[in-house]
Amino acid sequence: MEKGKQIYEGKAKRIYATGDADVVWVEYKDDATAFNGLKKGTINNKGSLNNRISAVFFEMLESKGIPTHFIKLINDREMLVKHIDIIMVEVVMRNIAAGSLAKRLGLEEGTPLSRPVLEFYYKNDELGDPLINDYHALAINIATREQMDKMAELAFKINEILVDYMDKRDIILVDFKLEFGVFKGEVILGDEISPDTCRFWDKHTKEKLDKDRFRRDLGNVEEAYEEIYKRLTATAN
Ligand code: UDP
Protein backbone atom coordinates (compact mmCIF):
# COMPACT_ATOMS: atom_id res chain seq x y z
CA MET A 1 0.00 0.00 0.00
CA GLU A 2 1.44 3.44 -0.86
CA LYS A 3 1.05 6.88 0.66
CA GLY A 4 -0.85 9.03 -1.85
CA LYS A 5 -1.95 12.66 -1.86
CA GLN A 6 -2.77 14.44 1.39
CA ILE A 7 -6.54 14.73 1.60
CA TYR A 8 -6.92 16.45 4.97
CA GLU A 9 -4.90 18.12 7.68
CA GLY A 10 -6.38 18.46 11.14
CA LYS A 11 -4.97 19.81 14.38
CA ALA A 12 -3.30 16.55 15.37
CA LYS A 13 -3.21 14.39 12.23
CA ARG A 14 -2.70 14.41 8.47
CA ILE A 15 -4.71 12.04 6.31
CA TYR A 16 -3.45 10.68 2.99
CA ALA A 17 -5.14 8.69 0.26
CA THR A 18 -3.89 5.20 -0.64
CA GLY A 19 -4.39 3.13 -3.78
CA ASP A 20 -7.50 1.69 -2.11
CA ALA A 21 -10.53 4.04 -1.83
CA ASP A 22 -11.61 2.20 1.36
CA VAL A 23 -8.31 2.84 3.16
CA VAL A 24 -6.57 6.03 4.34
CA TRP A 25 -3.10 6.61 5.73
CA VAL A 26 -2.97 8.57 9.01
CA GLU A 27 0.08 10.47 10.21
CA TYR A 28 0.03 11.71 13.81
CA LYS A 29 1.64 15.12 14.41
CA ASP A 30 3.45 16.56 17.43
CA ASP A 31 1.34 19.74 17.27
CA ALA A 32 -0.82 20.35 20.30
CA THR A 33 -3.76 22.71 20.59
CA ALA A 34 -6.21 23.44 23.38
CA PHE A 35 -9.16 25.71 24.11
CA ASN A 36 -10.49 25.43 20.55
CA GLY A 37 -7.11 26.24 19.02
CA LEU A 38 -6.37 29.32 21.17
CA LYS A 39 -3.38 27.65 22.84
CA LYS A 40 -0.83 26.15 20.49
CA GLY A 41 2.38 24.24 21.08
CA THR A 42 4.37 21.12 20.41
CA ILE A 43 4.69 18.04 22.54
CA ASN A 44 7.85 16.14 21.63
CA ASN A 45 7.09 12.64 20.39
CA LYS A 46 3.34 13.13 20.86
CA GLY A 47 2.55 11.91 17.33
CA SER A 48 4.46 8.73 17.84
CA LEU A 49 3.05 8.09 21.31
CA ASN A 50 -0.58 8.79 20.37
CA ASN A 51 -0.29 6.63 17.26
CA ARG A 52 1.02 3.69 19.27
CA ILE A 53 -1.33 4.27 22.22
CA SER A 54 -4.36 4.46 19.89
CA ALA A 55 -3.28 1.24 18.17
CA VAL A 56 -3.17 -0.59 21.52
CA PHE A 57 -6.68 0.64 22.40
CA PHE A 58 -8.17 -0.09 18.98
CA GLU A 59 -6.76 -3.63 18.87
CA MET A 60 -7.95 -4.34 22.39
CA LEU A 61 -11.45 -2.96 21.67
CA GLU A 62 -11.69 -4.96 18.42
CA SER A 63 -10.80 -8.10 20.38
CA LYS A 64 -13.78 -7.35 22.62
CA GLY A 65 -16.22 -6.91 19.74
CA ILE A 66 -16.13 -3.13 19.20
CA PRO A 67 -15.91 -2.24 15.47
CA THR A 68 -13.14 0.33 14.83
CA HIS A 69 -11.50 1.90 11.79
CA PHE A 70 -8.07 0.53 12.74
CA ILE A 71 -6.33 -1.71 10.21
CA LYS A 72 -2.65 -1.75 11.18
CA LEU A 73 0.35 0.26 12.31
CA ILE A 74 2.74 1.30 9.53
CA ASN A 75 5.47 2.77 11.72
CA ASP A 76 5.85 4.79 14.92
CA ARG A 77 3.72 7.71 13.80
CA GLU A 78 1.54 6.28 11.03
CA MET A 79 -1.32 3.82 10.78
CA LEU A 80 -3.73 2.56 8.12
CA VAL A 81 -7.43 2.94 8.87
CA LYS A 82 -10.71 2.35 7.07
CA HIS A 83 -11.91 5.38 5.13
CA ILE A 84 -15.03 6.36 7.07
CA ASP A 85 -17.55 9.16 6.62
CA ILE A 86 -17.10 10.90 9.94
CA ILE A 87 -20.29 11.74 11.85
CA MET A 88 -20.03 15.39 12.93
CA VAL A 89 -20.78 14.59 16.58
CA GLU A 90 -18.18 14.29 19.34
CA VAL A 91 -19.24 11.76 21.93
CA VAL A 92 -17.96 12.36 25.46
CA MET A 93 -18.26 9.83 28.30
CA ARG A 94 -17.59 10.85 31.89
CA ASN A 95 -17.09 8.88 35.08
CA ILE A 96 -15.74 11.66 37.30
CA ALA A 97 -16.46 15.39 37.13
CA ALA A 98 -13.67 17.36 35.46
CA GLY A 99 -13.09 20.07 32.88
CA SER A 100 -16.17 21.62 31.33
CA LEU A 101 -18.64 19.43 33.24
CA ALA A 102 -17.21 20.39 36.63
CA LYS A 103 -17.53 24.04 35.61
CA ARG A 104 -21.02 23.77 34.11
CA LEU A 105 -22.52 21.89 37.06
CA GLY A 106 -20.52 23.62 39.80
CA LEU A 107 -18.84 20.42 40.95
CA GLU A 108 -15.37 20.16 42.38
CA GLU A 109 -13.04 18.46 39.93
CA GLY A 110 -12.67 14.84 41.05
CA THR A 111 -16.26 14.42 42.28
CA PRO A 112 -17.36 10.90 41.32
CA LEU A 113 -20.54 10.71 39.21
CA SER A 114 -23.15 8.19 40.41
CA ARG A 115 -23.39 6.83 36.88
CA PRO A 116 -21.55 7.49 33.62
CA VAL A 117 -22.63 10.63 31.78
CA LEU A 118 -22.91 10.63 27.99
CA GLU A 119 -22.68 13.95 26.15
CA PHE A 120 -22.79 14.99 22.52
CA TYR A 121 -21.02 18.00 21.02
CA TYR A 122 -21.49 19.37 17.51
CA LYS A 123 -18.10 18.95 15.80
CA ASN A 124 -17.72 22.48 14.46
CA ASP A 125 -14.55 24.49 15.13
CA GLU A 126 -16.10 27.81 14.13
CA LEU A 127 -18.76 27.39 16.82
CA GLY A 128 -16.32 25.95 19.36
CA ASP A 129 -17.95 22.48 19.41
CA PRO A 130 -21.19 23.39 21.25
CA LEU A 131 -22.92 20.92 23.58
CA ILE A 132 -25.99 19.40 21.88
CA ASN A 133 -28.52 16.66 22.53
CA ASP A 134 -30.18 14.07 20.28
CA TYR A 135 -32.89 16.51 19.26
CA HIS A 136 -30.37 19.04 17.98
CA ALA A 137 -28.44 16.39 16.05
CA LEU A 138 -31.59 15.12 14.34
CA ALA A 139 -32.96 18.61 13.70
CA ILE A 140 -29.81 19.79 11.91
CA ASN A 141 -29.39 16.46 10.12
CA ILE A 142 -25.89 15.61 11.29
CA ALA A 143 -26.88 12.07 12.31
CA THR A 144 -29.85 9.72 12.14
CA ARG A 145 -31.79 8.31 15.09
CA GLU A 146 -30.19 4.91 14.46
CA GLN A 147 -26.69 6.42 14.36
CA MET A 148 -27.24 8.38 17.59
CA ASP A 149 -28.50 5.21 19.32
CA LYS A 150 -25.60 3.13 17.98
CA MET A 151 -23.02 5.72 19.11
CA ALA A 152 -24.55 5.80 22.59
CA GLU A 153 -24.64 2.00 22.83
CA LEU A 154 -21.00 1.68 21.69
CA ALA A 155 -19.84 4.55 23.94
CA PHE A 156 -21.26 2.90 27.09
CA LYS A 157 -19.71 -0.46 26.12
CA ILE A 158 -16.35 1.16 25.35
CA ASN A 159 -16.48 2.99 28.69
CA GLU A 160 -16.98 -0.28 30.60
CA ILE A 161 -14.14 -1.94 28.76
CA LEU A 162 -11.74 0.98 29.13
CA VAL A 163 -12.49 1.66 32.80
CA ASP A 164 -11.67 -1.95 33.63
CA TYR A 165 -8.62 -2.06 31.34
CA MET A 166 -7.14 1.14 32.79
CA ASP A 167 -7.96 0.16 36.38
CA LYS A 168 -5.73 -2.92 35.94
CA ARG A 169 -2.97 -0.45 35.05
CA ASP A 170 -3.62 1.71 38.12
CA ILE A 171 -5.19 4.47 36.07
CA ILE A 172 -8.56 6.14 36.61
CA LEU A 173 -10.43 6.86 33.39
CA VAL A 174 -12.01 10.21 34.29
CA ASP A 175 -13.54 11.03 30.90
CA PHE A 176 -12.86 10.72 27.18
CA LYS A 177 -14.04 11.77 23.74
CA LEU A 178 -14.90 9.46 20.83
CA GLU A 179 -15.68 10.07 17.18
CA PHE A 180 -17.57 7.65 14.99
CA GLY A 181 -17.99 7.26 11.26
CA VAL A 182 -19.91 5.20 8.75
CA PHE A 183 -18.12 2.47 6.77
CA LYS A 184 -20.17 0.43 4.30
CA GLY A 185 -23.34 1.37 6.18
CA GLU A 186 -22.03 0.44 9.64
CA VAL A 187 -21.25 2.88 12.48
CA ILE A 188 -17.69 2.22 13.64
CA LEU A 189 -15.25 3.93 16.02
CA GLY A 190 -12.81 6.35 14.36
CA ASP A 191 -10.32 9.08 15.25
CA GLU A 192 -7.98 8.27 18.16
CA ILE A 193 -7.96 7.22 21.80
CA SER A 194 -5.00 8.83 23.51
CA PRO A 195 -3.97 11.18 26.32
CA ASP A 196 -5.07 13.98 23.96
CA THR A 197 -8.66 12.75 24.09
CA CYS A 198 -8.94 11.13 27.53
CA ARG A 199 -8.36 12.22 31.11
CA PHE A 200 -6.18 9.67 32.87
CA TRP A 201 -5.32 10.02 36.57
CA ASP A 202 -2.92 7.83 38.48
CA LYS A 203 -5.06 5.72 40.83
CA HIS A 204 -2.87 6.32 43.89
CA THR A 205 -1.37 9.79 43.49
CA LYS A 206 -4.21 11.23 41.30
CA GLU A 207 -1.45 12.71 39.12
CA LYS A 208 -2.75 13.82 35.72
CA LEU A 209 -1.30 11.76 32.87
CA ASP A 210 -2.98 13.47 29.91
CA LYS A 211 -3.36 16.66 27.90
CA ASP A 212 -4.41 18.66 30.97
CA ARG A 213 -0.65 18.86 31.67
CA PHE A 214 -0.38 20.90 28.44
CA ARG A 215 -3.68 22.81 28.86
CA ARG A 216 -2.80 23.87 32.41
CA ASP A 217 1.01 24.23 31.99
CA LEU A 218 1.76 21.51 34.53
CA GLY A 219 5.02 20.42 32.84
CA ASN A 220 6.30 16.90 32.06
CA VAL A 221 3.76 16.47 29.27
CA GLU A 222 5.81 14.07 27.15
CA GLU A 223 6.71 12.04 30.25
CA ALA A 224 3.01 11.64 31.10
CA TYR A 225 2.19 10.32 27.61
CA GLU A 226 5.18 7.97 27.85
CA GLU A 227 3.96 6.72 31.21
CA ILE A 228 0.58 5.86 29.67
CA TYR A 229 2.25 3.95 26.82
CA LYS A 230 4.47 2.13 29.32
CA ARG A 231 1.54 1.04 31.48
CA LEU A 232 -0.48 -0.08 28.44
CA THR A 233 2.31 -2.28 27.20
CA ALA A 234 3.57 -3.62 30.54
CA THR A 235 0.52 -5.81 31.18
CA ALA A 236 -0.92 -8.30 28.69
CA ASN A 237 -4.66 -8.07 29.39
N1 UDP B 1 -12.06 16.35 24.55
C1 UDP B 1 -11.42 16.16 23.35
N2 UDP B 1 -11.58 17.07 22.35
C2 UDP B 1 -12.35 18.19 22.48
C3 UDP B 1 -13.01 18.39 23.72
C4 UDP B 1 -12.83 17.47 24.73
O1 UDP B 1 -10.73 15.16 23.17
O2 UDP B 1 -12.46 18.97 21.52
C5 UDP B 1 -11.91 15.36 25.63
C6 UDP B 1 -11.07 15.89 26.79
O3 UDP B 1 -9.71 15.54 26.63
C7 UDP B 1 -11.68 15.20 27.97
C8 UDP B 1 -13.14 14.99 27.59
O4 UDP B 1 -13.19 15.10 26.16
O5 UDP B 1 -11.08 13.92 28.15
C9 UDP B 1 -14.08 16.01 28.20
O6 UDP B 1 -13.60 17.29 27.94
P1 UDP B 1 -14.31 18.59 28.52
O7 UDP B 1 -15.67 18.71 27.94
O8 UDP B 1 -14.18 18.60 29.98
O9 UDP B 1 -13.54 19.77 27.84
P2 UDP B 1 -12.21 20.54 28.15
O10 UDP B 1 -12.04 20.64 29.61
O11 UDP B 1 -11.18 19.75 27.44
O12 UDP B 1 -12.51 21.86 27.49
Side-chain angles (χ1 to χ4, degrees), residues 90 94 99-100 121 129 175-177 196-199 215:
E90 297 195 348
R94 304 174 179 275
S100 70
Y121 292 83
D129 299 344
D175 57 29
F176 58 99
K177 185 260 304 177
D196 268 12
T197 63
C198 303
R199 284 195 169 94
R215 292 190 190 98

